């Protein structure tokens, strides 16, 4: 079983809608969570990171962690076609190695 | 110029051939990584290196080897390629994050990837 699980999608939304992405993790020791964005034919790039529980906002993006249910979320407000990409959640395990989810493909249609 | 470059970007080869994928970085990072990405499986770590004299196996190192020729260069070799090694391969580098209660908070910077097809 993977330590980080993520629905691969694709998730298709109209422009302007809120995109909601979710991951679950199994290791209760995870404390630091990242979201990477990967455009087609490109490598992943760090989008946001957050510690422990709670919300973190960065412009149109909000990262949320619920440690009690081992659930991490990414919300994209006012989605744009340029947000079309694959989004990967990740967390370093106790050996410092990043555990990635499979990635969710998001398509924002004009 | 890109900070992390990979060559080749695309490669088609035949079963049994030896293949080398190369990675170079100008970010000045000591830590470098090789991952493969498969649909539905995400990114899986093959090998990593924390400095020129340090090489470590990741979760799927069988069938692969690496060489850290310099701080800026990290190569991945497939000694005898097989079809199930068909995948997208990424090199990454990282700086050392501040850490959180002993947990690494490194940010990883990825190259553009190499698409490898083994027939």
């Amino acid at each position: 079983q993977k330590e980080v699980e993520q629905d691969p999608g694709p998730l298709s939304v109209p422009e302007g809608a809120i995109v909601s992405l979710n991951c679950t993790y199994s290791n209760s020791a995870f404390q630091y969570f990242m979201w990477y964005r990967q455009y087609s034919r490109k490598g992943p790039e760090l989008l946001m990171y957050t510690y422990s529980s709670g919300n973190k906002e960065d412009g149109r993006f909000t990262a949320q962690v619920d440690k009690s249910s081992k659930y991490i979320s990414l919300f994209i407000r006012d989605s744009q076609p340029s947000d079309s990409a694959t989004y990967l959640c990740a967390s370093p395990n106790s050996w410092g190695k990043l555990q990635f989810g499979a990635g969710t493909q998001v398509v924002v249609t004009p | 110029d890109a900070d992390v470059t990979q060559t080749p970007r695309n490669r088609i080869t035949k079963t049994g051939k030896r293949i080398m994928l190369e990675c170079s970085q100008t970010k000045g990072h000591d830590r470098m990584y090789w991952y493969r990405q498969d649909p539905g499986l995400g990114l899986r770590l093959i090998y990593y290196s924390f400095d020129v004299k340090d090489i470590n196996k990741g979760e799927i190192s069988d069938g692969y080897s690496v060489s850290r020729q310099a701080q800026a260069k990290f190569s991945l070799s497939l000694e005898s390629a097989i079809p199930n090694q068909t995948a997208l391969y990424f090199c990454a580098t990282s700086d050392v994050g501040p850490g959180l209660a002993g947990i690494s908070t490194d940010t990883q910077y990825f190259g553009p990837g190499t698409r490898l097809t083994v027939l």
Side-chain angles (χ1 to χ4, degrees):
Chain A
Q1 181 188 1
K2 286 175 65 70
E3 291 190 277
V4 180
E5 298 281 356
Q6 186 175 8
D7 187 333
L11 180 63
S12 184
V13 300
E15 183 175 356
I18 295 175
V19 176
S20 176
L21 301 167
N22 303 297
C23 291
T24 58
Y25 62 95
S26 57
N27 191 336
S28 57
F30 284 0
Q31 300 182 53
Y32 181 73
F33 304 93
M34 303 165 165
W35 284 95
Y36 279 80
R37 177 175 61 195
Q38 183 178 16
Y39 290 114
S40 179
R41 310 179 83 79
K42 301 281 188 182
E45 58 179 350
L46 182 66
L47 182 64
M48 292 184 68
Y49 65 87
T50 186
Y51 300 95
S52 194
S53 288
N55 292 358
K56 180 176 181 179
E57 284 193 22
D58 185 0
R60 297 184 294 112
F61 299 88
T62 299
Q64 188 175 80
V65 179
D66 181 347
K67 292 194 74 178
S68 62
S69 56
K70 299 189 182 68
Y71 206 75
I72 54 179
S73 302
L74 178 70
F75 302 97
I76 307 174
R77 293 184 299 280
D78 187 25
S79 58
Q80 305 295 311
S82 59
D83 294 325
S84 297
T86 296
Y87 292 81
L88 302 99
C89 55
S91 183
N93 64 15
S94 54
W95 292 274
K97 306 302 166 286
L98 273 184
Q99 303 299 303
F100 284 91
T104 300
Q105 183 185 3
V106 172
V107 179
V108 180
T109 54
Chain B
D1 288 341
D3 295 319
V4 184
T5 57
Q6 292 182 237
T7 56
R9 292 296 311 277
N10 291 281
R11 182 71 183 268
I12 300 174
T13 191
K14 294 182 179 180
T15 296
K17 293 292 187 181
R18 184 177 187 274
I19 297 297
M20 179 180 286
L21 308 183
E22 299 189 356
C23 176
S24 294
Q25 53 113 347
T26 58
K27 299 188 76 68
H29 293 163
D30 286 327
R31 300 182 173 190
M32 298 187 74
Y33 311 79
W34 275 105
Y35 290 90
R36 66 177 280 176
Q37 187 175 39
D38 300 273
L41 296 178
L43 287 158
R44 293 183 291 166
L45 184 63
I46 306 172
Y47 270 96
Y48 63 100
S49 169
F50 280 2
D51 64 43
V52 174
K53 297 180 180 179
D54 177 71
I55 300 290
N56 303 282
K57 293 182 177 181
E59 61 183 293
I60 54 163
S61 59
D62 287 349
Y64 301 95
S65 63
V66 291
S67 173
R68 185 80 184 267
Q69 300 95 322
Q71 185 203 40
K73 296 185 181 297
F74 193 35
S75 300
L76 176 71
S77 293
L78 287 68
E79 297 302 326
S80 179
I82 56 177
N84 77 358
Q85 291 177 315
T86 292
L88 195 52
Y89 289 84
F90 287 102
C91 173
T93 73
S94 72
D95 54 6
V96 180
L100 174 67
I103 301 296
S104 168
T105 57
D106 296 2
T107 295
Q108 295 196 11
Y109 299 86
F110 287 82
T114 294
R115 185 169 296 280
L116 177 65
T117 302
V118 184
L119 302 176

